[in-house]
């Protein structure tokens, strides 16, 4: 039972629900209906009926009619604007950013408010026309209607400012960077997903997934509970973001010789949640890939927007700097799944995801090449040997591409000067590409 209600699993489920566009409007509609019938409570108090001023049903009828007719138009307009923004984000940035755009709180709150106000007005109007409320109920319903009107006006003004930015390149980059930073921080605080550090190459009996897809989430609590009951050890072989299929094990189970060979691995397979798409939550590398895709599209001949690629390089610098920050005692998560071994994410893989496409597509643009070298130089100064080696390797690789793509000697000289630091790294005794984690 503990595995089914673990905090990590609950976070994953709530994140998926947050991406559903219908959830908030549905909840607000229920609250709107509840508010209408809650006004009937005032009619049961005889003292309130005598003290409170009277509101005619006709005036309330007119007010609710205006709200009902206008809210449906505004809700339709909001949906049209949101769909346009989603299409713009997919076309100008990358389709992989769609889940972040659709989960935008401002747009969901606006749509929920408009639809909720429409349902509120329709239900209240029907109740008023059928004489459901008495004197106190009508007054309370009038007050609720005024409150709803105020909320709608404030939401509409704020939403207009938000929808002007939704789907734009800068807004999309910020959303992807924020999601990636959140995933990186979570993985930095728990590099082995609160399991034990993998001490040796994967060993034991391989466990294969039934379906093909990307690992979106690993339920560590479920794995730990099963391993304790079976008295075995589990080695995770597929981190979130890994594409698994036939011949690609998700885990290895190590057991003593007296364990049966036909163990039931259903719980192990179920602990790995697979899907057709990668997700940002538990997969920091996916955010790096999406940012790299945005930069690659910006550097294509059809778009020719080096400024966006430079902005992405700055985002990578911020993200990797955050990754290298020491973990504070308050945020560090101590291992609590001692029967599970998990490999750590590789700096080499993250640098490959981030900088390969920019170095390749921006090799012929001198300003992008120089900014890339400067960013790698900054990362190389961080007190982290693995990151220093990765920065030196990618700086040398980007320099080779720039030499082949640039035609002007002065441009090549500028890039070479910016990449001079990498030569010192490559020539040092601590440098070797073979030192990278696989």
């Amino acid at each position: 039972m503990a595995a089914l209600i673990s905090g990590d699993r609950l976070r994953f489920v709530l994140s998926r629900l947050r991406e559903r566009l219908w959830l908030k409007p549905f909840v607000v509609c229920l609250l709107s209906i509840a508010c209408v019938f809650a006004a009937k409570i005032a009619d049961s108090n005889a003292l309130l009926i005598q003290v409170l001023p009277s509101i005619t049903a006709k005036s309330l009828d007119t007010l609710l009619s205006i709200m009902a007719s206008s809210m449906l138009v505004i809700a339709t307009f909001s949906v049209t604007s949101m769909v346009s923004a989603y299409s713009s984000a997919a076309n100008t940035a990358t389709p992989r950013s769609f889940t972040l755009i659709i989960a935008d709180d401002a747009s969901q709150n606006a749509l929920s408010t408009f639809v909720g106000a429409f349902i509120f007005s329709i239900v209240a109007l029907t109740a008023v026309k059928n004489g459901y409320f008495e004197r106190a109920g009508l007054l309370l319903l009038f007050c609720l209607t005024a409150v709803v009107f105020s909320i709608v006006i404030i939401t509409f003004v704020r939403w207009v400012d938000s929808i002007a930015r939704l789907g734009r390149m800068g807004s999309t980059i910020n959303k992807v960077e924020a999601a990636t930073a959140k995933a990186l921080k979570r993985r930095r605080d728990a590099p082995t997903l609160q399991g034990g550090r993998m001490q040796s190459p994967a060993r034991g009996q391989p466990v294969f997934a039934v379906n093909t897809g990307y690992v979106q989430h690993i339920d560590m609590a479920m794995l730990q509970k099963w391993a304790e009951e079976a008295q075995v050890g589990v080695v995770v072989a597929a981190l979130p973001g890994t594409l698994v299929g036939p011949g690609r094990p998700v885990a290895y189970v190590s057991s003593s010789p007296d364990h049966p060979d036909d163990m039931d691995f259903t719980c192990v397979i179920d602990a790995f949640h697979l899907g057709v798409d990668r997700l940002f939550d538990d997969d920091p590398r996916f955010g790096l890939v999406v940012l790299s895709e945005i930069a690659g599209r910006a550097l294509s001949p059809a778009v020719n927007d080096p400024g966006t690629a430079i902005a992405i390089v700055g985002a990578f610098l911020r993200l990797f700097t955050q990754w290298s920050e020491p973990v504070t005692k308050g945020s560090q998560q101590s291992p609590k799944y001692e029967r599970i071994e998990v490999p750590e994410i590789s700096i080499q893989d993250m640098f490959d995801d981030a900088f390969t496409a920019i170095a390749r597509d921006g090799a012929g643009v001198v300003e992008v090449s120089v900014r890339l070298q400067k960013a790698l130089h900054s990362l190389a100064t961080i007190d982290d040997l693995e990151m220093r080696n990765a920065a030196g390797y990618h700086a040398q690789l980007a320099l080779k591409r720039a030499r082949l793509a640039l035609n002007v000697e002065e441009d090549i000289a500028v890039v070479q000067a910016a990449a001079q630091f990498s030569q010192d790294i490559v020539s040092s005794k601590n440098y070797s590409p073979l030192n990278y984690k696989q």
Side-chain angles (χ1 to χ4, degrees):
M1 180 62 66
L4 296 178
I5 59 174
S6 63
D8 197 47
R9 182 182 179 88
L10 181 62
R11 173 190 58 80
F12 178 78
V13 173
L14 292 178
S15 296
R16 303 288 72 75
L17 288 176
R18 183 172 174 267
E19 295 172 357
R20 304 298 180 181
L21 194 58
W22 56 266
L23 181 63
K24 282 187 178 181
F26 176 73
V27 173
V28 173
C29 287
L30 295 180
L31 292 176
S32 301
I33 297 174
C35 287
V36 172
F37 290 101
K40 184 64 176 177
I41 300 176
D43 289 329
S44 61
N45 193 317
L47 180 61
L48 289 178
I49 296 176
Q50 298 176 0
V51 175
L52 294 178
S54 62
I55 295 292
T56 61
K58 184 176 181 181
S59 61
L60 193 56
D61 185 334
T62 303
L63 187 61
L64 291 172
S65 299
I66 295 174
M67 180 184 289
S69 59
S70 59
M71 284 302 100
L72 183 59
V73 175
I74 295 178
T76 304
F77 169 72
S78 67
V79 172
T80 304
S81 301
M82 291 168 63
V83 171
S84 177
Y86 299 155
S87 177
S88 174
N91 293 330
T92 60
T94 172
R96 258 65 62 189
S97 64
F98 178 77
T99 56
L100 296 179
I101 303 300
I102 202 173
D104 178 69
D105 288 332
S107 298
Q108 287 193 2
N109 293 339
L111 181 61
S112 302
T113 301
F114 301 150
V115 175
F118 173 72
I119 297 298
F120 172 86
S121 59
I122 291 296
V123 175
L125 186 61
T126 304
V128 170
K129 284 183 175 293
N130 287 274
Y132 181 72
F133 298 104
E134 297 180 12
R135 179 177 176 179
L138 289 174
L139 179 60
L140 182 56
L141 184 62
F142 176 81
C143 295
L144 288 175
T145 303
V147 172
V148 172
F149 254 126
S150 302
I151 294 175
V152 167
I153 293 172
I154 295 173
T155 302
F156 182 77
V157 173
R158 294 181 59 187
W159 176 73
V160 168
D161 179 73
S162 175
I163 200 67
R165 297 175 175 83
L166 186 64
R168 299 298 185 265
M169 181 66 75
S171 175
T172 303
I173 293 175
N174 292 338
K175 290 181 182 296
V176 176
E177 182 182 352
T180 307
K182 189 176 180 180
L184 282 171
K185 184 181 185 302
R186 187 181 298 115
R187 183 61 62 86
R188 185 197 64 181
D189 296 341
T192 58
L193 305 180
Q194 293 185 280
R197 193 182 305 273
M198 194 169 69
Q199 303 296 335
S200 60
R203 61 198 180 279
Q205 186 173 352
V207 180
F208 299 92
V210 177
N211 302 315
T212 299
Y214 289 99
V215 178
Q216 296 180 338
H217 176 70
I218 303 176
D219 194 332
M220 297 290 288
M222 179 184 290
L223 277 179
Q224 175 70 15
K225 182 180 179 181
W226 177 85
E228 289 177 347
E229 294 175 351
Q231 294 297 307
V232 298
V234 179
V235 179
V236 172
L239 290 173
T242 304
L243 178 63
V244 298
R248 180 68 165 83
V250 295
Y252 292 89
V253 176
S254 58
S255 58
S256 58
D258 57 344
H259 277 77
D261 296 334
D262 56 344
M263 294 181 63
D264 185 11
F265 297 130
T266 303
C267 286
V268 179
I269 297 173
D270 292 342
F272 289 81
H273 189 281
L274 304 183
V276 295
D277 299 313
R278 296 174 69 175
L279 301 177
F280 291 91
D281 297 13
D282 299 325
D283 184 10
R285 292 180 57 189
F286 181 54
L288 300 176
V289 170
V290 173
L291 287 171
S292 182
E293 285 182 356
I294 296 175
R297 175 172 290 191
L299 291 170
S300 64
V303 179
N304 191 22
D305 181 19
T308 294
I310 292 174
I312 297 294
V313 172
F316 284 145
L317 179 59
R318 291 189 293 271
L319 291 171
F320 283 115
T321 301
Q322 172 191 310
W323 172 267
S324 64
E325 292 176 353
V327 181
T328 60
K329 292 183 179 180
S331 61
Q332 187 175 11
Q333 301 178 16
S334 57
K336 62 179 181 179
Y337 306 119
E338 69 278 357
R339 288 187 174 270
I340 308 173
E341 295 183 12
V342 182
E344 294 186 35
I345 193 170
S346 169
I347 290 290
Q348 178 199 12
D349 292 338
M350 291 196 295
F351 269 63
D352 290 342
D353 296 332
F355 297 116
T356 300
I358 296 180
R360 180 192 65 231
D361 300 332
V365 185
V366 61
E367 57 266 37
V368 174
S369 296
V370 171
R371 183 59 62 91
L372 177 59
Q373 294 293 345
K374 290 182 178 179
L376 291 171
H377 188 190
S378 297
L379 295 176
T381 60
I382 296 176
D383 187 18
D384 186 318
L385 180 60
E386 189 179 3
M387 185 173 292
R388 173 182 167 84
N389 287 341
Y393 171 78
H394 276 274
Q396 286 288 300
L397 199 59
L399 178 59
K400 290 180 180 179
R401 290 192 170 103
R403 285 170 175 167
L404 295 174
L406 294 174
N407 300 318
V408 180
E409 294 181 0
E410 287 78 3
D411 290 343
I412 297 176
V414 172
V415 178
Q416 286 178 337
Q420 182 60 42
F421 75 97
S422 62
Q423 187 60 42
D424 300 333
I425 297 176
V426 173
S427 60
S428 64
K429 62 179 181 180
N430 294 325
Y431 173 81
S432 173
L434 298 179
N435 288 336
Y436 290 162
K437 296 180 181 180
Q438 300 298 323

